[in-house]
Amino acid sequence: MRWCAMRLGEDALLLRLGDGIDADTNARVHALAARIDAARPPWLRDLVPAYASLALFVDASACDGDDPLADAEAWLHALPPDDGDPASSQGALHEVPVRYGGEHGPDLDAVAEHAGLSPRQVIELHADGEYRVAMLGFAPGFPYLLGLDPALSMPRLATPRTRVEAGSVGIGGEQAGIYPRPGPGGWRIIGRTEVVLFDPARDPPSLLAPGDRLRFVPTGKLP
């Protein structure tokens, strides 16, 4: 598995496995994260996967050498080769009930018109796929999801809303996502879930982890 490393300050390495957003590269990121986590050296403080990169945070006090990041990179190069299929690395599967359309999904009709489909066909396509949590970001617990049917891809709003309700299920370009908390947002909102994605009193606070899988389940009366 090829990667290149660069330093992020004094206590972190960024491993780049590619560029842009694609499912294969992201699967390799999560497979590498799983291999490192399985070995879990004592100096490893945290792993943070993104679409095409993986950040490793190092506890310098747990390293013996004068250059903890050089030691960490040497350790990474000494990892045994992985001949497995990255796509076979499967995270937990979550089912997320969603009420589509109406006050819960004010952009459902616009997405349907853009795709040349009926609102019900949009719901069926959206709920038919299995999504992977590519990364968490933007807000605590916000999942960037890969797996959206290309027919449902739609640009973000030209002017973001000043408030999007918690649990709103959105489409941003070729990605899907769920807003864990109320706040501003420019993604197209097609539904809403009552599932709590982030709770600071929960351990772990985030319901979803990078690499997990997700399916949307329509609930209530469909348009």
Side-chain angles (χ1 to χ4, degrees), residues 115-163:
L117 301 170
S118 69
R120 179 162 295 201
Q121 287 174 317
V122 169
I123 295 170
E124 290 171 350
L125 273 183
H126 189 259
D128 189 48
E130 181 174 292
Y131 299 79
R132 178 185 282 265
V133 181
M135 57 179 280
L136 299 178
F138 170 61
F142 184 100
Y144 286 85
L145 302 173
L146 292 176
L148 182 72
D149 190 294
L152 303 183
S153 174
M154 189 171 180
R156 295 170 173 82
L157 294 168
T159 303
R161 294 184 171 91
T162 57
R163 180 181 173 90

Side-chain angles (χ1 to χ4, degrees), residues 24-204:
D24 290 342
T25 301
N26 188 249
R28 292 194 295 119
V29 168
H30 292 299
L32 179 58
R35 290 173 58 209
I36 296 172
D37 191 48
R40 202 74 193 184
W43 46 260
L44 180 61
R45 281 201 294 115
D46 201 5
L47 285 168
V48 182
Y51 274 116
S53 64
L54 176 64
L56 279 76
F57 290 85
V58 174
D59 179 1
S61 66
C63 298
D64 296 328
D66 295 331
D67 190 340
L69 295 186
D71 293 346
E73 188 169 350
W75 182 90
L76 290 165
H77 282 295
L79 274 176
D82 179 19
D83 297 327
D85 176 9
S88 66
S89 178
Q90 300 283 1
L93 177 62
H94 304 264
E95 290 193 343
V96 175
V98 179
R99 287 183 178 273
Y100 287 92
E103 62 176 313
H104 306 292
D107 296 322
L108 176 64
D109 290 345
V111 172
E113 183 177 356
H114 183 79
L117 301 170
S118 69
R120 179 162 295 201
Q121 287 174 317
V122 169
I123 295 170
E124 290 171 350
L125 273 183
H126 189 259
D128 189 48
E130 181 174 292
Y131 299 79
R132 178 185 282 265
V133 181
M135 57 179 280
L136 299 178
F138 170 61
F142 184 100
Y144 286 85
L145 302 173
L146 292 176
L148 182 72
D149 190 294
L152 303 183
S153 174
M154 189 171 180
R156 295 170 173 82
L157 294 168
T159 303
R161 294 184 171 91
T162 57
R163 180 181 173 90
V164 174
E165 298 300 328
S168 291
V169 175
I171 291 172
E174 298 179 353
Q175 306 166 84
I178 311 171
Y179 288 81
R181 301 172 61 87
W187 289 29
R188 308 283 177 163
I189 306 303
I190 62 171
R192 193 185 308 165
T193 181
E194 295 182 357
V195 170
V196 177
L197 270 70
F198 188 83
D199 180 353
R202 194 167 55 195
D203 184 20

